[in-house]
């Protein structure tokens, strides 16, 4: 069993704790590690280390700081398969999905290597005669990230490389359910040779999070997780005067128009709904057919859902892995039952899934809730599992109104061959990520990972220029240099 440690001030440390969370391989049910639940004193040590490292790190020229990231990028690439195997073994997704996750992590390191260009300021000469105005960007200070379980390798990289390149020092708290991936990545971070205290990792759950939210030295916090915790993190950190962004949950709609390429729509929607066992914040969760689209779509989506090969993500040919744990299986199965009690039929039912050879695994096969009712509890509730609700309306206006009446706003997709319909959808729909003939509209590293409504609390997002904005604070300087003073030079 792997021992999970914290990494503080360049050292691997075992916190003195009696509370642990078991880390379970979701496919085999085997306990593969135990996460120590660090108390507030450990956050204190990490914050102190990061604060001590800050003055020298921020004084290092930005082009020197990014050299560490170039090295990290090469190490991530060289160790990609081992990282992906670790992700599969603690998170449940397939090896290919885990490798794809790390592609986006590495892209973010590459984009952050452009920090010399991205963080430079502005100058305007002679805003009045002999007076110049400058805007410079400085680091915010000690920053921290609180991560969820579903992308243990990628999500911290929406933030970490930008925070470091911009001259901040940094603490990450991985999800207690999946600590092994970050532990492996921190072994690479150790090889990179960052100065002590520049980048730290603390394992834990609520007590560690609360200590981060309250610690006066920590100036900026990013969070990704469920909406109720996002809202809590946002409020508490903001009340403490911190800069904060908190990504929350989702319930993403996809609208299918009759003029869509139906085969393409069905396959892409199935990949979105069932990929990563539905545990993606950009997974489509409900499909709305418009007009005649349902004639083909309903049967075809059931066929594709029923034919997915489900199993251990490291076995070849497996298209969908396990969900995170048994509690998640129970929650998803209960929600399928709720959908049925609220009037949906279940033509493809993943409840009670047992995979031969992996009887202790946490599996739910793809499930279709046909004719899910608008306004029902199941229509409002994030399932975070491989379940696709299907609904029907008569017009694109009704479909957009339905999408916009939901609390979440992470992603909305449309399948159509009409440019005018696509334009209307893009214009009117209230969500931060839009897919046109795309099922998972995941922004590249040089675009912000957006999110609206109950899916996001804050202002600037992760990745790209938003991350540069978030991890820098602007300083505006107005200088007067009278002509008579400069004349002598
Ligand atoms: P979660 O909210 O349970 O946990 C996220 C983090 O918060 C973890 O590090 C956990 O230790 C901490 N935490 C949990 N409960 C807490 C509490 N009461 N007080 C303080 N800290 C607490 O989320 P999860 O189950 O790990 O991840 C799944 C959720 O994340 C889904 O809702 C999914 O939609 C969302 N998600 C959103 C995005 C996005 O970009 N919007 C991306 C990935 C995941």
């Amino acid at each position: 069993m792997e021992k999970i440690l914290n990494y503080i001030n360049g050292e691997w440390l075992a916190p003195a704790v009696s509370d642990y969370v078991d880390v379970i391989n979701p496919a085999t049910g085997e306990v593969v590690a135990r996460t120590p639940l660090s108390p507030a004193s450990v956050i204190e040590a990490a914050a102190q280390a990061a604060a001590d490292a800050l003055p020298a790190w921020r004084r290092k020229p930005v082009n020197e700081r990014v050299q560490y990231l170039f090295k990290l990028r090469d190490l991530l690439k060289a160790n990609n398969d081992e990282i992906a195997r670790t992700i599969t073994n603690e998170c449940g997704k397939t090896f290919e999905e885990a490798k794809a996750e790390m592609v986006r992590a590495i892209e973010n390191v590459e984009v952050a290597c452009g920090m010399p260009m991205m963080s430079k300021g502005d100058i305007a000469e002679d805003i009045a005669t002999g007076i110049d105005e400058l805007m410079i960007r400085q680091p915010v200070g000690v920053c921290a990230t609180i991560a969820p379980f579903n992308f243990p390798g990628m999500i911290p990289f929406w933030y970490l490389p930008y925070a470091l390149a911009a001259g901040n020092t940094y603490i990450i708290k991985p999800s207690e359910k999946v600590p092994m991936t970050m532990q492996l990545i921190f072994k690479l971070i150790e090889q990179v040779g960052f100065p002590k205290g520049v980048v730290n990792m603390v394992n834990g759950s609520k007590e560690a999070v609360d200590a981060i939210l309250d610690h006066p030295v920590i100036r900026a916090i990013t969070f990704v997780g469920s909406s109720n915790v996002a809202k809590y993190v946002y409020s508490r950190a903001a009340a403490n005067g911190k800069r904060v962004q908190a990504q929350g949950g989702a319930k993403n709609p996809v609208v299918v128009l009759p003029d869509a390429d139906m085969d393409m729509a069905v396959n892409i929607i199935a990949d979105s709904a069932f990929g990563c066992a539905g545990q993606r914040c950009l997974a489509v969760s409900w499909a709305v057919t418009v007009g005649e689209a349902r004639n083909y779509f309903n049967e075809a989506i059931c066929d594709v859902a029923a034919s997915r090969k489900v199993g251990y993500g490291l076995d070849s040919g497996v298209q969908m892995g396990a969900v995170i744990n048994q509690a998640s299986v129970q929650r998803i199965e209960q929600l399928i039952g709720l959908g049925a009690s609220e009037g949906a039929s279940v033509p493809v039912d993943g409840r009670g899934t047992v995979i031969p050879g992996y009887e202790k695994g946490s599996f739910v096969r793809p499930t279709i809730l046909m004719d899910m009712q608008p306004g029902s509890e199941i229509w409002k509730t994030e399932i975070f599992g491989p379940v696709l609700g299907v609904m029907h309306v008569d017009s694109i206006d009704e479909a957009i109104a339905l999408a916009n009446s939901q609390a979440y706003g992470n992603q909305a997709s449309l399948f159509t061959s009409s440019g005018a319909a696509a334009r209307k959808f893009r214009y009117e729909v209230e969500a931060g990520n839009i897919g046109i003939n795309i099922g998972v509209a995941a922004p590249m590293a040089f675009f912000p990972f957006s999110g609206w409504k109950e899916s996001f609390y804050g202002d600037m997002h992760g990745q790209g220029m938003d991350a540069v904005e978030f991890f820098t604070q602007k300083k505006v300087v107005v200088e007067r240099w009278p002509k008579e003073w400069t004349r002598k030079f």
Side-chain angles (χ1 to χ4, degrees):
M1 193 188 314
E2 184 166 340
K3 193 168 169 65
I4 302 298
L5 299 170
N6 295 328
Y7 186 79
I8 297 173
N9 209 23
E11 284 182 57
W12 291 99
L13 300 170
V17 297
S18 49
D19 283 348
Y20 290 85
V21 165
D22 284 345
V23 182
I24 295 162
N25 179 325
T28 63
E30 182 196 356
V31 178
V32 286
R34 291 167 81 217
T35 307
L37 299 186
S38 302
S41 57
V42 174
I43 296 296
E44 178 61 42
Q48 196 53 56
D52 291 347
L54 184 65
W57 183 246
R58 72 161 281 204
R59 276 183 189 282
K60 225 179 235 308
V62 61
N63 50 329
E64 283 183 29
R65 288 197 299 259
V66 299
Q67 299 310 314
Y68 294 85
L69 294 184
F70 281 115
K71 206 165 161 190
L72 177 58
R73 177 244 185 221
D74 290 347
L75 284 167
L76 289 170
K77 278 204 133 181
N79 293 275
N80 202 12
D81 281 5
E82 192 187 351
I83 297 171
R85 255 193 308 278
T86 305
I87 293 174
T88 297
N89 278 334
E90 67 176 355
C91 188
K93 65 181 70 172
T94 67
F95 184 58
E96 290 307 318
E97 288 168 343
K99 283 211 292 200
E101 154 170 6
M102 287 313 296
V103 169
R104 186 54 46 79
I106 291 166
E107 273 172 20
N108 270 290
V109 180
E110 290 168 345
V111 171
C113 285
M115 194 59 73
M117 176 79 179
M118 294 191 295
S119 64
K120 67 187 176 45
D122 268 332
I123 179 163
E125 280 185 336
D126 287 321
I127 53 163
T129 305
I131 300 183
D132 303 333
E133 188 156 345
L134 296 71
M135 186 279 284
I136 51 181
R137 286 180 187 277
Q138 298 190 332
V140 179
V142 178
C143 303
T145 288
I146 300 155
F149 81 80
N150 63 328
F151 284 92
M154 176 186 73
I155 284 177
F157 283 89
W158 291 351
Y159 312 110
L160 179 150
Y162 303 94
L164 296 179
N168 303 279
T169 54
Y170 188 75
I171 303 166
I172 166 111
K173 192 214 76 73
S175 163
E176 62 276 26
K177 293 173 193 154
V178 290
M180 286 159 49
T181 302
M182 261 305 126
Q183 174 144 304
L184 177 55
I185 288 173
F186 263 70
K187 287 182 184 155
L188 306 179
I189 283 177
E190 188 179 31
Q191 281 182 44
V192 169
F194 284 94
K196 284 182 192 315
V198 166
V199 53
N200 307 277
M201 175 177 67
V202 175
N203 286 287
S205 59
K206 183 168 172 52
E207 189 178 346
V209 172
D210 286 348
I212 290 172
L213 303 179
D214 292 343
H215 202 290
V217 154
I218 299 171
R219 299 308 311 146
I221 294 173
T222 71
F223 170 89
V224 182
S226 52
S227 284
N228 55 348
V229 185
K231 205 174 197 168
Y232 164 77
V233 163
Y234 181 77
S235 328
R236 187 154 167 173
N240 285 329
K242 299 181 197 310
R243 183 176 284 195
V244 50
Q245 56 167 287
Q247 307 262 0
K251 183 86 182 174
N252 304 311
V254 56
V255 176
V256 186
L257 297 189
D259 67 2
D261 176 327
M262 280 299 163
D263 282 332
M264 179 176 83
V266 166
N267 285 316
I268 292 178
I269 290 169
D271 285 344
S272 175
F274 309 131
C276 296
Q279 298 174 125
R280 267 195 293 229
C281 68
L282 296 179
V284 299
S285 176
W286 49 293
V288 191
T289 54
V290 175
E292 290 166 6
R294 83 167 138 187
N295 298 347
Y296 184 87
F297 183 83
N298 285 9
E299 204 180 317
I301 195 74
C302 289
D303 289 347
V304 176
S307 68
R308 290 265 129 164
K309 183 163 185 226
V310 180
Y312 180 21
L314 292 184
D315 288 347
S316 70
V318 167
Q319 295 171 302
M320 193 185 98
V323 298
I324 187 69
N325 54 28
Q326 280 298 315
S328 184
V329 172
Q330 279 164 23
R331 189 180 44 78
I332 294 164
E333 292 191 343
Q334 270 168 14
L335 286 167
I336 296 169
L338 172 70
S341 73
E342 288 181 318
S345 63
V346 196
V348 185
D349 189 345
R351 286 175 289 186
T353 300
V354 177
I355 303 296
Y358 301 105
E359 287 77 6
K360 292 191 177 149
S362 298
F363 293 100
V364 181
R365 284 188 197 278
T367 298
I368 301 289
L369 288 174
M370 194 59 78
D371 296 323
M372 194 168 73
Q373 298 302 306
S376 59
E377 280 308 309
I378 193 66
W379 173 76
K380 294 183 202 158
T381 308
E382 180 177 39
I383 301 175
F384 221 54
V387 181
L388 180 70
V390 181
M391 308 168 81
H392 181 75
V393 295
D394 293 327
S395 69
I396 186 171
D397 286 300
E398 283 173 80
I400 292 173
L402 202 54
N404 288 349
S405 64
Q406 273 219 331
Y408 294 110
N410 218 34
Q411 177 191 272
S413 294
L414 175 72
F415 282 78
T416 184
S417 54
S418 155
R423 205 270 179 182
K424 175 185 173 70
F425 188 82
R426 184 184 79 198
Y427 192 87
E428 293 181 14
V429 89
E430 293 165 4
N433 300 288
I434 305 297
I436 305 294
N437 299 315
I438 295 285
V440 180
M444 295 291 287
F446 39 90
F447 282 95
F449 195 102
S450 197
W452 286 18
K453 296 162 75 179
E454 298 285 322
S455 298
F456 184 73
Y457 301 89
D459 178 7
M460 293 157 281
H461 296 81
Q463 301 198 140
M465 278 310 294
D466 265 35
V468 179
E469 285 283 342
F470 187 82
F471 289 114
T472 56
Q473 46 193 348
K474 296 194 239 359
K475 186 178 271 181
V476 176
V477 183
V478 185
E479 295 184 354
R480 183 195 307 275
W481 294 107
K483 206 169 170 197
E484 24 323 339
W485 294 8
T486 51
R487 206 167 26 214
K488 37 189 163 181
F489 295 101

